[in-house]
Amino acid sequence: MIAMVRLDERLIHGQVAIKWSRHLNVDRIVVVSDEAAANPVVQKSLMMAAPATAKTTIKSLEKAVKLLQDPKAADHKILIIVSSPEDLLKIVTQVQGIPVINVGNYGRVAAKHGTEVRKTYGSNLYAYDDEAEVLKKVIDTGIKCIYQTTPDDTPEELAKVLG
């Protein structure tokens, strides 16, 4: 079963490896990123950051959807991590059984739109208008959407954060 889907442009790092994986008590982490899946160096660094307590896999969006749609996935407690609002929308519209979407860190290091500046929505959430619109489409799926950097932080409804 899926425990949570998290938007975090850094994918696996301390907050995910230590705090979220333990808080959710997951036994699997699925990193969904076409970029990471195609880059062996990125894969190695993500695997080094991954917790020993959860088997971690890095998949392209297409392969991740197939993996998560497999009935065998229900036998595991899975944290899905995506690095962009667009990938988040694709996952939540193609994969069933997602109980909650967590937006944690986005917009500091993501690809830029020229010299345009992202709006600040939270201490760790920055988005261009088009990215905020994609996040609103995610909210429109009806799945519970929260903004929360770490499990220790108080979760906020993403709709309220985006205004």
mmCIF file of all heavy atoms in Angstrom, residues 106-152:
data_model
loop_
_atom_site.group_PDB
_atom_site.id
_atom_site.type_symbol
_atom_site.label_atom_id
_atom_site.label_comp_id
_atom_site.label_asym_id
_atom_site.label_seq_id
_atom_site.Cartn_x
_atom_site.Cartn_y
_atom_site.Cartn_z
ATOM 1 N N TYR A 106 10.234 22.457 -2.623
ATOM 2 C CA TYR A 106 10.207 22.648 -4.067
ATOM 3 C C TYR A 106 10.485 24.103 -4.412
ATOM 4 O O TYR A 106 9.977 25.005 -3.762
ATOM 5 C CB TYR A 106 8.860 22.241 -4.688
ATOM 6 C CG TYR A 106 8.920 22.381 -6.186
ATOM 7 C CD1 TYR A 106 9.606 21.439 -6.946
ATOM 8 C CD2 TYR A 106 8.388 23.480 -6.823
ATOM 9 C CE1 TYR A 106 9.745 21.600 -8.304
ATOM 10 C CE2 TYR A 106 8.522 23.650 -8.186
ATOM 11 C CZ TYR A 106 9.199 22.705 -8.923
ATOM 12 O OH TYR A 106 9.356 22.877 -10.273
ATOM 13 N N GLY A 107 11.279 24.296 -5.469
ATOM 14 C CA GLY A 107 11.447 25.604 -6.077
ATOM 15 C C GLY A 107 12.771 26.294 -5.872
ATOM 16 O O GLY A 107 13.048 27.272 -6.551
ATOM 17 N N ARG A 108 13.585 25.809 -4.967
ATOM 18 C CA ARG A 108 14.886 26.460 -4.772
ATOM 19 C C ARG A 108 15.890 26.065 -5.842
ATOM 20 O O ARG A 108 16.642 26.901 -6.315
ATOM 21 C CB ARG A 108 15.464 26.119 -3.402
ATOM 22 C CG ARG A 108 14.795 26.860 -2.290
ATOM 23 C CD ARG A 108 15.563 26.712 -1.004
ATOM 24 N NE ARG A 108 14.847 27.420 0.037
ATOM 25 C CZ ARG A 108 15.065 27.245 1.319
ATOM 26 N NH1 ARG A 108 15.962 26.395 1.722
ATOM 27 N NH2 ARG A 108 14.372 27.927 2.192
ATOM 28 N N VAL A 109 15.917 24.784 -6.194
ATOM 29 C CA VAL A 109 16.920 24.322 -7.157
ATOM 30 C C VAL A 109 16.311 23.793 -8.447
ATOM 31 O O VAL A 109 17.029 23.404 -9.352
ATOM 32 C CB VAL A 109 17.848 23.241 -6.535
ATOM 33 C CG1 VAL A 109 18.631 23.808 -5.375
ATOM 34 C CG2 VAL A 109 17.081 22.007 -6.125
ATOM 35 N N ALA A 110 14.998 23.783 -8.557
ATOM 36 C CA ALA A 110 14.329 23.290 -9.769
ATOM 37 C C ALA A 110 14.705 24.164 -10.963
ATOM 38 O O ALA A 110 15.134 25.313 -10.806
ATOM 39 C CB ALA A 110 12.819 23.291 -9.562
ATOM 40 N N ALA A 111 14.539 23.618 -12.145
ATOM 41 C CA ALA A 111 14.861 24.341 -13.378
ATOM 42 C C ALA A 111 14.168 25.699 -13.397
ATOM 43 O O ALA A 111 13.011 25.825 -12.998
ATOM 44 C CB ALA A 111 14.443 23.514 -14.591
ATOM 45 N N LYS A 112 14.891 26.692 -13.840
ATOM 46 C CA LYS A 112 14.391 28.071 -13.855
ATOM 47 C C LYS A 112 13.725 28.400 -15.184
ATOM 48 O O LYS A 112 14.029 27.809 -16.211
ATOM 49 C CB LYS A 112 15.541 29.057 -13.621
ATOM 50 C CG LYS A 112 16.392 28.772 -12.387
ATOM 51 C CD LYS A 112 15.670 29.128 -11.126
ATOM 52 C CE LYS A 112 16.580 28.975 -9.922
ATOM 53 N NZ LYS A 112 16.029 28.218 -8.848
ATOM 54 N N HIS A 113 12.810 29.384 -15.157
ATOM 55 C CA HIS A 113 12.203 29.943 -16.360
ATOM 56 C C HIS A 113 12.912 31.253 -16.661
ATOM 57 O O HIS A 113 12.423 32.321 -16.304
ATOM 58 C CB HIS A 113 10.720 30.243 -16.151
ATOM 59 C CG HIS A 113 9.856 29.042 -15.964
ATOM 60 N ND1 HIS A 113 8.524 29.149 -15.703
ATOM 61 C CD2 HIS A 113 10.101 27.713 -16.007
ATOM 62 C CE1 HIS A 113 7.986 27.951 -15.590
ATOM 63 N NE2 HIS A 113 8.933 27.072 -15.768
ATOM 64 N N GLY A 114 14.062 31.180 -17.245
ATOM 65 C CA GLY A 114 14.814 32.391 -17.564
ATOM 66 C C GLY A 114 15.138 33.181 -16.311
ATOM 67 O O GLY A 114 15.663 32.644 -15.340
ATOM 68 N N THR A 115 14.772 34.462 -16.306
ATOM 69 C CA THR A 115 15.052 35.321 -15.157
ATOM 70 C C THR A 115 13.832 35.505 -14.261
ATOM 71 O O THR A 115 13.893 36.238 -13.274
ATOM 72 C CB THR A 115 15.548 36.710 -15.624
ATOM 73 O OG1 THR A 115 14.540 37.291 -16.459
ATOM 74 C CG2 THR A 115 16.858 36.606 -16.387
ATOM 75 N N GLU A 116 12.715 34.845 -14.613
ATOM 76 C CA GLU A 116 11.498 34.932 -13.821
ATOM 77 C C GLU A 116 11.765 34.404 -12.403
ATOM 78 O O GLU A 116 12.510 33.448 -12.218
ATOM 79 C CB GLU A 116 10.398 34.100 -14.482
ATOM 80 C CG GLU A 116 9.033 34.254 -13.881
ATOM 81 C CD GLU A 116 7.991 33.392 -14.595
ATOM 82 O OE1 GLU A 116 8.279 32.839 -15.664
ATOM 83 O OE2 GLU A 116 6.889 33.285 -14.036
ATOM 84 N N VAL A 117 11.154 35.043 -11.413
ATOM 85 C CA VAL A 117 11.338 34.652 -10.017
ATOM 86 C C VAL A 117 10.092 33.909 -9.542
ATOM 87 O O VAL A 117 8.968 34.333 -9.798
ATOM 88 C CB VAL A 117 11.587 35.903 -9.137
ATOM 89 C CG1 VAL A 117 11.707 35.524 -7.677
ATOM 90 C CG2 VAL A 117 12.834 36.640 -9.613
ATOM 91 N N ARG A 118 10.319 32.822 -8.837
ATOM 92 C CA ARG A 118 9.198 32.055 -8.278
ATOM 93 C C ARG A 118 8.599 32.809 -7.093
ATOM 94 O O ARG A 118 9.304 33.464 -6.343
ATOM 95 C CB ARG A 118 9.682 30.687 -7.798
ATOM 96 C CG ARG A 118 9.927 29.691 -8.897
ATOM 97 C CD ARG A 118 10.323 28.336 -8.310
ATOM 98 N NE ARG A 118 10.271 27.299 -9.305
ATOM 99 C CZ ARG A 118 11.312 26.889 -10.021
ATOM 100 N NH1 ARG A 118 12.512 27.411 -9.816
ATOM 101 N NH2 ARG A 118 11.171 25.944 -10.932
ATOM 102 N N LYS A 119 7.276 32.651 -6.910
ATOM 103 C CA LYS A 119 6.607 33.204 -5.734
ATOM 104 C C LYS A 119 6.915 32.325 -4.533
ATOM 105 O O LYS A 119 7.047 31.110 -4.654
ATOM 106 C CB LYS A 119 5.087 33.220 -5.936
ATOM 107 C CG LYS A 119 4.583 34.263 -6.877
ATOM 108 C CD LYS A 119 3.066 34.215 -6.894
ATOM 109 C CE LYS A 119 2.506 35.152 -7.933
ATOM 110 N NZ LYS A 119 1.040 35.008 -8.034
ATOM 111 N N THR A 120 6.965 32.942 -3.362
ATOM 112 C CA THR A 120 7.179 32.211 -2.123
ATOM 113 C C THR A 120 5.826 31.871 -1.512
ATOM 114 O O THR A 120 5.006 32.753 -1.268
ATOM 115 C CB THR A 120 7.993 33.068 -1.127
ATOM 116 O OG1 THR A 120 9.243 33.407 -1.728
ATOM 117 C CG2 THR A 120 8.238 32.322 0.171
ATOM 118 N N TYR A 121 5.603 30.574 -1.277
ATOM 119 C CA TYR A 121 4.364 30.112 -0.663
ATOM 120 C C TYR A 121 4.597 29.587 0.746
ATOM 121 O O TYR A 121 3.667 29.451 1.511
ATOM 122 C CB TYR A 121 3.707 29.024 -1.515
ATOM 123 C CG TYR A 121 3.175 29.559 -2.827
ATOM 124 C CD1 TYR A 121 3.923 29.453 -3.993
ATOM 125 C CD2 TYR A 121 1.940 30.180 -2.884
ATOM 126 C CE1 TYR A 121 3.429 29.945 -5.198
ATOM 127 C CE2 TYR A 121 1.441 30.686 -4.078
ATOM 128 C CZ TYR A 121 2.199 30.564 -5.229
ATOM 129 O OH TYR A 121 1.722 31.058 -6.402
ATOM 130 N N GLY A 122 5.822 29.238 1.051
ATOM 131 C CA GLY A 122 6.194 28.721 2.364
ATOM 132 C C GLY A 122 7.702 28.770 2.465
ATOM 133 O O GLY A 122 8.387 29.083 1.486
ATOM 134 N N SER A 123 8.228 28.446 3.637
ATOM 135 C CA SER A 123 9.672 28.530 3.816
ATOM 136 C C SER A 123 10.432 27.567 2.911
ATOM 137 O O SER A 123 11.615 27.759 2.659
ATOM 138 C CB SER A 123 10.040 28.274 5.280
ATOM 139 O OG SER A 123 9.596 26.979 5.672
ATOM 140 N N ASN A 124 9.755 26.557 2.386
ATOM 141 C CA ASN A 124 10.387 25.599 1.494
ATOM 142 C C ASN A 124 9.547 25.323 0.249
ATOM 143 O O ASN A 124 9.666 24.266 -0.360
ATOM 144 C CB ASN A 124 10.650 24.277 2.232
ATOM 145 C CG ASN A 124 11.731 24.436 3.269
ATOM 146 O OD1 ASN A 124 12.874 24.761 2.968
ATOM 147 N ND2 ASN A 124 11.358 24.239 4.521
ATOM 148 N N LEU A 125 8.689 26.264 -0.113
ATOM 149 C CA LEU A 125 7.863 26.093 -1.304
ATOM 150 C C LEU A 125 7.852 27.381 -2.115
ATOM 151 O O LEU A 125 7.369 28.419 -1.663
ATOM 152 C CB LEU A 125 6.423 25.693 -0.930
ATOM 153 C CG LEU A 125 5.446 25.518 -2.099
ATOM 154 C CD1 LEU A 125 5.942 24.477 -3.100
ATOM 155 C CD2 LEU A 125 4.061 25.162 -1.583
ATOM 156 N N TYR A 126 8.398 27.268 -3.320
ATOM 157 C CA TYR A 126 8.473 28.377 -4.259
ATOM 158 C C TYR A 126 7.964 27.858 -5.593
ATOM 159 O O TYR A 126 8.332 26.751 -5.996
ATOM 160 C CB TYR A 126 9.914 28.864 -4.427
ATOM 161 C CG TYR A 126 10.595 29.163 -3.112
ATOM 162 C CD1 TYR A 126 11.272 28.161 -2.418
ATOM 163 C CD2 TYR A 126 10.548 30.437 -2.559
ATOM 164 C CE1 TYR A 126 11.884 28.423 -1.194
ATOM 165 C CE2 TYR A 126 11.158 30.710 -1.339
ATOM 166 C CZ TYR A 126 11.829 29.701 -0.665
ATOM 167 O OH TYR A 126 12.429 29.953 0.534
ATOM 168 N N ALA A 127 7.105 28.624 -6.277
ATOM 169 C CA ALA A 127 6.552 28.127 -7.531
ATOM 170 C C ALA A 127 6.234 29.272 -8.481
ATOM 171 O O ALA A 127 5.839 30.355 -8.058
ATOM 172 C CB ALA A 127 5.290 27.312 -7.262
ATOM 173 N N TYR A 128 6.436 28.993 -9.770
ATOM 174 C CA TYR A 128 5.946 29.890 -10.810
ATOM 175 C C TYR A 128 4.434 29.716 -10.873
ATOM 176 O O TYR A 128 3.886 28.727 -10.372
ATOM 177 C CB TYR A 128 6.560 29.518 -12.165
ATOM 178 C CG TYR A 128 8.058 29.710 -12.238
ATOM 179 C CD1 TYR A 128 8.887 28.646 -12.573
ATOM 180 C CD2 TYR A 128 8.649 30.945 -12.000
ATOM 181 C CE1 TYR A 128 10.260 28.813 -12.673
ATOM 182 C CE2 TYR A 128 10.018 31.130 -12.087
ATOM 183 C CZ TYR A 128 10.826 30.053 -12.428
ATOM 184 O OH TYR A 128 12.181 30.220 -12.506
ATOM 185 N N ASP A 129 3.757 30.651 -11.510
ATOM 186 C CA ASP A 129 2.295 30.564 -11.618
ATOM 187 C C ASP A 129 1.856 29.259 -12.271
ATOM 188 O O ASP A 129 0.888 28.640 -11.824
ATOM 189 C CB ASP A 129 1.736 31.758 -12.404
ATOM 190 C CG ASP A 129 1.831 33.062 -11.619
ATOM 191 O OD1 ASP A 129 2.002 33.021 -10.378
ATOM 192 O OD2 ASP A 129 1.731 34.136 -12.250
ATOM 193 N N ASP A 130 2.570 28.833 -13.324
ATOM 194 C CA ASP A 130 2.165 27.597 -14.005
ATOM 195 C C ASP A 130 2.368 26.372 -13.104
ATOM 196 O O ASP A 130 1.569 25.430 -13.133
ATOM 197 C CB ASP A 130 2.886 27.423 -15.345
ATOM 198 C CG ASP A 130 4.394 27.315 -15.227
ATOM 199 O OD1 ASP A 130 5.002 28.008 -14.384
ATOM 200 O OD2 ASP A 130 4.990 26.530 -16.004
ATOM 201 N N GLU A 131 3.390 26.387 -12.255
ATOM 202 C CA GLU A 131 3.611 25.281 -11.319
ATOM 203 C C GLU A 131 2.527 25.276 -10.238
ATOM 204 O O GLU A 131 2.034 24.217 -9.850
ATOM 205 C CB GLU A 131 4.993 25.398 -10.680
ATOM 206 C CG GLU A 131 6.125 25.191 -11.670
ATOM 207 C CD GLU A 131 7.488 25.566 -11.127
ATOM 208 O OE1 GLU A 131 7.585 26.509 -10.307
ATOM 209 O OE2 GLU A 131 8.466 24.922 -11.523
ATOM 210 N N ALA A 132 2.153 26.458 -9.763
ATOM 211 C CA ALA A 132 1.077 26.553 -8.767
ATOM 212 C C ALA A 132 -0.233 26.039 -9.368
ATOM 213 O O ALA A 132 -1.014 25.379 -8.673
ATOM 214 C CB ALA A 132 0.924 27.995 -8.282
ATOM 215 N N GLU A 133 -0.472 26.303 -10.643
ATOM 216 C CA GLU A 133 -1.681 25.797 -11.306
ATOM 217 C C GLU A 133 -1.665 24.272 -11.368
ATOM 218 O O GLU A 133 -2.696 23.629 -11.193
ATOM 219 C CB GLU A 133 -1.834 26.398 -12.704
ATOM 220 C CG GLU A 133 -2.242 27.859 -12.698
ATOM 221 C CD GLU A 133 -3.511 28.123 -11.896
ATOM 222 O OE1 GLU A 133 -4.512 27.398 -12.089
ATOM 223 O OE2 GLU A 133 -3.516 29.058 -11.076
ATOM 224 N N VAL A 134 -0.502 23.688 -11.616
ATOM 225 C CA VAL A 134 -0.389 22.225 -11.627
ATOM 226 C C VAL A 134 -0.681 21.687 -10.227
ATOM 227 O O VAL A 134 -1.408 20.698 -10.075
ATOM 228 C CB VAL A 134 1.007 21.764 -12.123
ATOM 229 C CG1 VAL A 134 1.186 20.267 -11.931
ATOM 230 C CG2 VAL A 134 1.207 22.141 -13.590
ATOM 231 N N LEU A 135 -0.162 22.341 -9.200
ATOM 232 C CA LEU A 135 -0.431 21.908 -7.824
ATOM 233 C C LEU A 135 -1.922 22.024 -7.496
ATOM 234 O O LEU A 135 -2.473 21.190 -6.784
ATOM 235 C CB LEU A 135 0.418 22.699 -6.824
ATOM 236 C CG LEU A 135 1.919 22.384 -6.866
ATOM 237 C CD1 LEU A 135 2.693 23.351 -5.977
ATOM 238 C CD2 LEU A 135 2.194 20.946 -6.470
ATOM 239 N N LYS A 136 -2.578 23.029 -8.044
ATOM 240 C CA LYS A 136 -4.034 23.161 -7.827
ATOM 241 C C LYS A 136 -4.785 22.015 -8.509
ATOM 242 O O LYS A 136 -5.795 21.537 -7.987
ATOM 243 C CB LYS A 136 -4.521 24.531 -8.306
ATOM 244 C CG LYS A 136 -4.061 25.651 -7.375
ATOM 245 C CD LYS A 136 -4.446 27.018 -7.863
ATOM 246 C CE LYS A 136 -3.884 28.082 -6.930
ATOM 247 N NZ LYS A 136 -4.121 29.438 -7.398
ATOM 248 N N LYS A 137 -4.292 21.552 -9.648
ATOM 249 C CA LYS A 137 -4.894 20.386 -10.303
ATOM 250 C C LYS A 137 -4.708 19.137 -9.444
ATOM 251 O O LYS A 137 -5.586 18.279 -9.402
ATOM 252 C CB LYS A 137 -4.283 20.169 -11.685
ATOM 253 C CG LYS A 137 -4.713 21.205 -12.702
ATOM 254 C CD LYS A 137 -4.045 20.967 -14.040
ATOM 255 C CE LYS A 137 -4.420 22.061 -15.025
ATOM 256 N NZ LYS A 137 -3.730 21.909 -16.309
ATOM 257 N N VAL A 138 -3.556 19.051 -8.772
ATOM 258 C CA VAL A 138 -3.320 17.939 -7.849
ATOM 259 C C VAL A 138 -4.357 17.994 -6.722
ATOM 260 O O VAL A 138 -4.959 16.980 -6.371
ATOM 261 C CB VAL A 138 -1.875 17.973 -7.293
ATOM 262 C CG1 VAL A 138 -1.697 16.980 -6.154
ATOM 263 C CG2 VAL A 138 -0.861 17.711 -8.404
ATOM 264 N N ILE A 139 -4.567 19.175 -6.171
ATOM 265 C CA ILE A 139 -5.567 19.357 -5.105
ATOM 266 C C ILE A 139 -6.950 18.947 -5.611
ATOM 267 O O ILE A 139 -7.720 18.303 -4.898
ATOM 268 C CB ILE A 139 -5.569 20.818 -4.607
ATOM 269 C CG1 ILE A 139 -4.250 21.129 -3.893
ATOM 270 C CG2 ILE A 139 -6.765 21.087 -3.692
ATOM 271 C CD1 ILE A 139 -3.995 22.611 -3.667
ATOM 272 N N ASP A 140 -7.247 19.289 -6.864
ATOM 273 C CA ASP A 140 -8.555 18.982 -7.452
ATOM 274 C C ASP A 140 -8.824 17.485 -7.594
ATOM 275 O O ASP A 140 -9.968 17.083 -7.827
ATOM 276 C CB ASP A 140 -8.706 19.660 -8.815
ATOM 277 C CG ASP A 140 -8.860 21.171 -8.712
ATOM 278 O OD1 ASP A 140 -9.158 21.668 -7.596
ATOM 279 O OD2 ASP A 140 -8.662 21.855 -9.731
ATOM 280 N N THR A 141 -7.806 16.646 -7.435
ATOM 281 C CA THR A 141 -8.029 15.189 -7.503
ATOM 282 C C THR A 141 -8.833 14.701 -6.306
ATOM 283 O O THR A 141 -9.357 13.592 -6.334
ATOM 284 C CB THR A 141 -6.702 14.402 -7.553
ATOM 285 O OG1 THR A 141 -5.989 14.590 -6.327
ATOM 286 C CG2 THR A 141 -5.862 14.801 -8.759
ATOM 287 N N GLY A 142 -8.888 15.520 -5.249
ATOM 288 C CA GLY A 142 -9.636 15.134 -4.056
ATOM 289 C C GLY A 142 -8.806 14.376 -3.030
ATOM 290 O O GLY A 142 -9.290 14.085 -1.935
ATOM 291 N N ILE A 143 -7.570 14.069 -3.366
ATOM 292 C CA ILE A 143 -6.670 13.416 -2.410
ATOM 293 C C ILE A 143 -6.213 14.469 -1.400
ATOM 294 O O ILE A 143 -5.951 15.622 -1.761
ATOM 295 C CB ILE A 143 -5.448 12.803 -3.133
ATOM 296 C CG1 ILE A 143 -5.899 11.763 -4.164
ATOM 297 C CG2 ILE A 143 -4.483 12.170 -2.125
ATOM 298 C CD1 ILE A 143 -4.801 11.301 -5.111
ATOM 299 N N LYS A 144 -6.119 14.083 -0.141
ATOM 300 C CA LYS A 144 -5.655 15.009 0.898
ATOM 301 C C LYS A 144 -4.270 15.528 0.522
ATOM 302 O O LYS A 144 -3.349 14.747 0.269
ATOM 303 C CB LYS A 144 -5.594 14.289 2.246
ATOM 304 C CG LYS A 144 -5.139 15.175 3.384
ATOM 305 C CD LYS A 144 -5.111 14.407 4.698
ATOM 306 C CE LYS A 144 -4.614 15.277 5.821
ATOM 307 N NZ LYS A 144 -4.575 14.543 7.084
ATOM 308 N N CYS A 145 -4.116 16.859 0.474
ATOM 309 C CA CYS A 145 -2.849 17.498 0.090
ATOM 310 C C CYS A 145 -2.387 18.416 1.212
ATOM 311 O O CYS A 145 -3.119 19.338 1.598
ATOM 312 C CB CYS A 145 -3.020 18.325 -1.178
ATOM 313 S SG CYS A 145 -3.423 17.364 -2.642
ATOM 314 N N ILE A 146 -1.184 18.161 1.699
ATOM 315 C CA ILE A 146 -0.631 18.985 2.774
ATOM 316 C C ILE A 146 0.735 19.533 2.393
ATOM 317 O O ILE A 146 1.433 18.969 1.550
ATOM 318 C CB ILE A 146 -0.521 18.190 4.099
ATOM 319 C CG1 ILE A 146 0.374 16.966 3.929
ATOM 320 C CG2 ILE A 146 -1.885 17.827 4.632
ATOM 321 C CD1 ILE A 146 0.740 16.268 5.237
ATOM 322 N N TYR A 147 1.075 20.632 3.024
ATOM 323 C CA TYR A 147 2.409 21.204 2.937
ATOM 324 C C TYR A 147 3.039 20.966 4.301
ATOM 325 O O TYR A 147 2.510 21.410 5.323
ATOM 326 C CB TYR A 147 2.333 22.701 2.617
ATOM 327 C CG TYR A 147 3.647 23.435 2.803
ATOM 328 C CD1 TYR A 147 4.721 23.171 1.967
ATOM 329 C CD2 TYR A 147 3.797 24.367 3.819
ATOM 330 C CE1 TYR A 147 5.926 23.841 2.146
ATOM 331 C CE2 TYR A 147 4.994 25.034 3.995
ATOM 332 C CZ TYR A 147 6.058 24.769 3.160
ATOM 333 O OH TYR A 147 7.246 25.422 3.336
ATOM 334 N N GLN A 148 4.141 20.212 4.327
ATOM 335 C CA GLN A 148 4.800 19.880 5.588
ATOM 336 C C GLN A 148 6.222 19.432 5.264
ATOM 337 O O GLN A 148 6.429 18.415 4.608
ATOM 338 C CB GLN A 148 4.025 18.762 6.292
ATOM 339 C CG GLN A 148 4.554 18.385 7.651
ATOM 340 C CD GLN A 148 3.724 17.277 8.291
ATOM 341 O OE1 GLN A 148 2.981 16.572 7.623
ATOM 342 N NE2 GLN A 148 3.868 17.126 9.602
ATOM 343 N N THR A 149 7.196 20.175 5.739
ATOM 344 C CA THR A 149 8.581 19.857 5.426
ATOM 345 C C THR A 149 9.056 18.609 6.162
ATOM 346 O O THR A 149 9.615 17.704 5.557
ATOM 347 C CB THR A 149 9.494 21.062 5.759
ATOM 348 O OG1 THR A 149 8.998 22.211 5.053
ATOM 349 C CG2 THR A 149 10.920 20.793 5.330
ATOM 350 N N THR A 150 8.835 18.556 7.464
ATOM 351 C CA THR A 150 9.237 17.388 8.256
ATOM 352 C C THR A 150 8.041 16.913 9.077
ATOM 353 O O THR A 150 7.100 17.678 9.309
ATOM 354 C CB THR A 150 10.404 17.707 9.225
ATOM 355 O OG1 THR A 150 9.919 18.558 10.267
ATOM 356 C CG2 THR A 150 11.584 18.353 8.520
ATOM 357 N N PRO A 151 8.087 15.680 9.571
ATOM 358 C CA PRO A 151 6.982 15.204 10.400
ATOM 359 C C PRO A 151 6.785 16.021 11.679
ATOM 360 O O PRO A 151 5.696 16.036 12.237
ATOM 361 C CB PRO A 151 7.382 13.765 10.749
ATOM 362 C CG PRO A 151 8.376 13.369 9.728
ATOM 363 C CD PRO A 151 9.073 14.631 9.319
ATOM 364 N N ASP A 152 7.833 16.704 12.120
ATOM 365 C CA ASP A 152 7.755 17.533 13.320
ATOM 366 C C ASP A 152 6.995 18.839 13.083
ATOM 367 O O ASP A 152 6.523 19.459 14.029
ATOM 368 C CB ASP A 152 9.156 17.865 13.839
ATOM 369 C CG ASP A 152 9.957 16.617 14.184
ATOM 370 O OD1 ASP A 152 9.352 15.599 14.582
ATOM 371 O OD2 ASP A 152 11.193 16.661 14.044
#
